[in-house]
Every structure is written in C-alpha cells, then in structure tokens.
Amino acid sequence: MTHHPLPRAQTPEVVAQRLLRTSVTHSFDPVTDIDWEAPLVEGAWFCVPERLSLYGTPLWEGMDERQRIELSRHEFASLAGMGGWLELCLIQMLARYLASRDLKDARTHYALNEMGDETRHVTMFGMLHRKLGCPSYGPPSYLRRAFTAGSPAFQDLTTFALALVTEELLDRFQREIAQDERVQPLIRRICQIHVVEEARHVSFARTELRNAVAHASPTRRAFHRHLTGLAASLDVPCLLDPALYRAVGLDPAEARRQARSNPHFRETMLWSGEKLIAFLTETGMIGRAQHLWWRRAGLMR
C-alpha cells in the first residue's frame, strides 16, 4: 500500500488550526443552549421510527402507537447512554495521545478543545436521561473491563479509528433525526448541537488517522487493524441495551431475537456504517482478514 503526502491544506497542523478557529463560533453549552424546562410534546417520537430495532417485526405489528413511541424513547436513551460512555472513553484515549505531545502544537490545542466538547456532550446526555426518566443505560460490565484492559494498547491508530466508529455511526442517525419534524423538539435540538460539534471531531480523527497510518510500519498497521475490528465488534452491538425492551413491556429475549434477525434494522446498521467502512478500508485500517469483526459489528455484509 502506497501512502502519499497530504496537501498542505490537509496536513494535521493546518486542519487543527482551522478546527480551533471554527470552535470559537460553533460551540454550545448544554446547560444554557437547550431549553430543559420545555415540556415534551405529546405523541412525538424520540427518534425516526423507521430506524428502530423492531420496526417491521411481528412484535412491532402487535404494538400500539403509544408503545412504539415509548420504544423510541428508550432506544434513544440507550444510544445516548452508550454514546456518553464511549465519549468518556475517548476523553481517556485523547489524554494518552496528549501525554507525549508538544504543548505548543496546534494539534495538542485542538485535542484539548475536543476533550472539552466531549465533557459537555456527556453532561448533555446525562441531563437528557434525567429529562426522559429512563434507566441509566450503558455498557455491560464485561465491556467496561475490556476497555480498561485493552485501551493502553490503542495508541494513535486505534484511538482515532474507534473515535470514528462512535462519531460517524451516531452522526448518521442524528443528522436524520435533526431534520425529522415527527421527533421531539428537545431531541432534535440535542442532535443539531451534537452534529455541529462532532463534524469537527470527525475531521480531526480522519486527518490524524491518515497521518498515523502513513507513518506506521506494516506490522504495526496489521496489529491495529485487528485491534480496531475486535473493539468495534464488542462496542457496536451494545448500543442498544436489551433491558430497554423490558422497560416497554416486551420479553427481552424475544425482542432481541427479532431485532437481530430484522432485515430493516440490519439495513439501518449497514447504512449507519457506510461512510465509516469506506474510509477505514481506503486508509488501510480494514483488510479482508478483519471483515469477520466488522460483520459481527453489523456494519458489513
């Protein structure tokens, strides 16, 4: 695989400087920029119904409109809960990235800025959970332990590849939600804010990943391809906590079985990962040997 130097306008230093300037005028405070006191709209959805895990299944056909909307409330809460935990993980990974960087460098300054964005996002998701009155959905204990044990090995390659797994998957859902007038105004506002700020994070992660791949040895790239694929295969299936089905009055085992075999939801997951999989393949972070991991994540056929 041949790696060519980036044009100056796309070098990590120039991209970081541009993103820092953008952050000045396109950043939000969830405490003041969201109206948390506004009542939820009766009969409005909490995410796009056609993207729900059970859409089109026999269980879905047996649910009334109220129960379907309640399912959307808990599925969005689960996405927000898992997304918040993944962003806490990203903060830790960025801290490791920064530990060996020059404090004068623009890339260092932007990474610090992104950590600030992510702390506000976690706060926003926490406030949303309180508003929705849902259980505190999040990762299973085995995933928490796996991250604690494995994350010191991530380095820059897996750190920025996994940042994209979190950011690009949720971005596709949230861009659609933000434009759908069937969805609660509160949820749409949260998605609008998150989309604006995550666009910077995606740009930074893509640039840093390209740079890291270009400077890595073939052996190191191969190791991180496997590590990234393995981590994604563990993370992505946990976006929806099976406990949410019980919360809406469904049998969790049966609901999970129908969700896993649901062709609509399988297509939704493939759709959510289209840009991510194309980019990671193009940069050399997914090879044929890793396809099994990405299929287990639900992001490849």
Side-chain angles (χ1 to χ4, degrees):
M1 184 175 186
T2 302
H3 298 277
H4 303 287
L6 290 170
R8 171 159 174 74
Q10 298 176 29
T11 61
E13 293 78 10
V14 172
V15 169
Q17 290 166 356
R18 174 174 57 79
L19 295 175
L20 278 167
R21 290 193 297 270
T22 305
S23 299
V24 174
T25 54
H26 292 82
S27 292
F28 301 88
D29 183 339
V31 176
T32 58
D33 289 323
I34 297 172
D35 184 2
W36 296 104
E37 299 304 317
L40 296 173
V41 176
E42 185 70 25
W45 295 84
F46 292 83
C47 51
V48 177
E50 293 81 8
R51 300 298 183 191
L52 293 172
S53 64
L54 294 176
Y55 179 80
T57 64
L59 277 174
W60 177 268
E61 297 304 324
M63 298 164 72
D64 60 24
E65 187 80 348
R66 181 203 59 78
Q67 195 175 20
R68 291 174 178 177
I69 290 174
E70 187 70 355
L71 175 68
S72 76
R73 182 168 74 100
H74 284 268
E75 287 208 7
F76 193 83
S78 182
L79 288 174
M82 186 64 181
W85 179 76
L86 289 169
E87 293 195 328
L88 285 172
C89 293
L90 177 57
I91 291 169
Q92 294 180 56
M93 293 188 291
L94 286 172
R96 287 197 181 95
Y97 163 85
L98 286 166
S100 60
R101 293 208 56 80
D102 186 343
L103 290 178
K104 301 188 298 293
D105 190 86
R107 293 158 69 189
T108 299
H109 301 163
Y110 181 73
L112 288 165
N113 187 88
E114 182 170 326
M115 289 173 73
D117 287 346
E118 298 295 17
T119 59
R120 290 190 294 274
H121 293 171
V122 176
T123 299
M124 180 169 68
F125 291 146
M127 294 175 75
L128 172 65
H129 263 93
R130 187 167 61 194
K131 179 73 174 181
L132 296 183
C134 291
S136 295
Y137 296 120
S141 58
Y142 73 81
L143 188 56
R144 294 180 187 272
R145 292 194 298 270
F147 175 78
T148 299
S151 60
F154 287 175
Q155 301 177 12
D156 50 358
L157 285 161
T158 295
T159 288
F160 290 108
L162 288 180
L164 290 171
V165 171
T166 300
E167 291 161 350
E168 298 227 33
L169 292 189
L170 295 180
D171 183 72
R172 293 219 81 180
F173 285 105
Q174 291 177 351
R175 284 180 184 274
E176 194 175 58
I177 289 170
Q179 301 300 318
D180 195 321
E181 294 187 357
R182 296 174 295 175
V183 176
Q184 293 280 349
L186 170 66
I187 303 298
R188 293 176 64 197
R189 178 59 175 160
I190 286 171
C191 288
Q192 288 162 1
I193 289 173
H194 204 235
V195 162
V196 169
E197 297 191 332
E198 290 294 328
R200 297 195 297 267
H201 303 175
V202 168
S203 181
F204 183 65
R206 283 184 168 224
T207 305
E208 289 294 321
L209 183 59
R210 282 189 187 278
N211 184 65
V213 169
H215 291 89
S217 68
T219 300
R220 188 162 171 261
R221 286 199 300 270
F223 171 76
H224 284 279
R225 278 196 294 268
H226 282 293
L227 184 58
T228 299
L230 172 60
S233 75
L234 295 174
D235 289 347
V236 176
C238 294
L239 288 172
L240 294 181
D241 188 329
L244 72 88
Y245 298 121
R246 181 180 292 108
V248 296
L250 300 173
D251 173 49
E254 179 59 20
R256 195 174 188 185
R257 185 191 68 78
Q258 290 195 25
R260 284 178 168 175
S261 61
N262 182 5
H264 293 286
F265 190 57
R266 288 204 302 267
E267 288 301 316
T268 286
M269 292 306 297
L270 292 170
W271 163 82
S272 73
E274 279 176 346
K275 292 165 66 176
L276 168 71
I277 296 299
F279 178 77
L280 293 182
T281 301
E282 184 260 323
T283 54
M285 284 300 290
I286 296 178
R288 291 183 62 84
Q290 290 78 49
H291 285 190
L292 174 62
W293 297 123
W294 294 98
R295 283 196 293 269
R296 287 181 178 177
L299 304 179
M300 291 186 77
R301 295 187 188 278

